[in-house]
Amino acid sequence: MSTPKTIIILSGKRKSGKDFVASLLQEKLDPNRCAILRLSYPLKSQYSKDHGLDLEKLLDASDFKELYRADMIRWGEEKRNQDPMYFIRAISSEPGAEKPIWVVSDARRRSDMDCLHQLFPNIILSLRIHAEEIVRRERGWQFVHGVDDAESECGLDGYNSFDHHLENDGDVNKLNDVIDNILRSHHLLS
Ligand SMILES: Nc1ncnc2c1ncn2[C@@H]1O[C@H](COP(=O)(O)OP(=O)(O)OP(=O)(O)O)[C@@H](O)[C@H]1O
């Protein structure tokens, strides 16, 4: 199993900008040293095999994944109930996991945080990303029953152990400054 030097965990509501922030972080930290890994990757990989779907389309930013989101959530819960570490262990086999810095861009549940801290103690920096509902709507978000009120979306709402909170309402310059300051304060950027 690959063991990185630093893991930056991102959490936030749908369309809060997790992927956007993950890309900014990877650029700042150097793509040769920093990989974006997703807890949803092993889930989508196995789900696509079981259901005869195109994995690339489930992974990309298009709305294709929205057709399957509710069922993938149900299927993922079943797997997690059988083995809470299932998806956490699987990320260390993802492409890029050999790099020393991981950005895990989609923590969604209390168990994701607990398992990551348990498996990789003392190297985790956790960031919660916030965006106003109106901004998320402009980015294409709509409330969906079974998705936006499910544990996968709300499981970390009350989690109060994030290392930092980021506002991502659209001012990219401000966002860049905040991210730079966080990285500097953790000696990840000079
Ligand atoms: N600060 C920003 N400035 C401009 N565009 C942004 C910003 N943040 C996010 N976006 C855009 O908003 C859209 C949604 O962002 P993103 O995909 O990063 O959200 P997400 O939290 O990963 O969503 P999901 O949980 O649905 O995967 C994307 O098109 C992204 O490029």
Side-chain angles (χ1 to χ4, degrees), residues 12-21 61 65-66 69 105 108 139 153 168-172 175:
K13 298 284 195 186
R14 293 203 294 139
K15 308 300 177 207
S16 59
K18 298 179 292 298
D19 286 337
F20 189 84
V21 170
K65 65 183 173 216
E66 304 302 338
R69 200 185 275 263
S105 64
R108 294 182 175 279
R139 295 176 184 157
E153 194 61 12
N168 181 31
D169 286 328
D171 184 338
V172 183
L175 180 68

Side-chain angles (χ1 to χ4, degrees), residues 67-86:
L67 296 173
Y68 300 96
R69 200 185 275 263
D71 193 51
M72 281 194 292
I73 290 171
R74 181 200 54 73
W75 184 87
E77 294 301 343
E78 269 175 33
K79 287 270 177 206
R80 271 195 192 82
N81 289 340
Q82 287 158 14
D83 175 6
M85 290 279 193
Y86 181 85

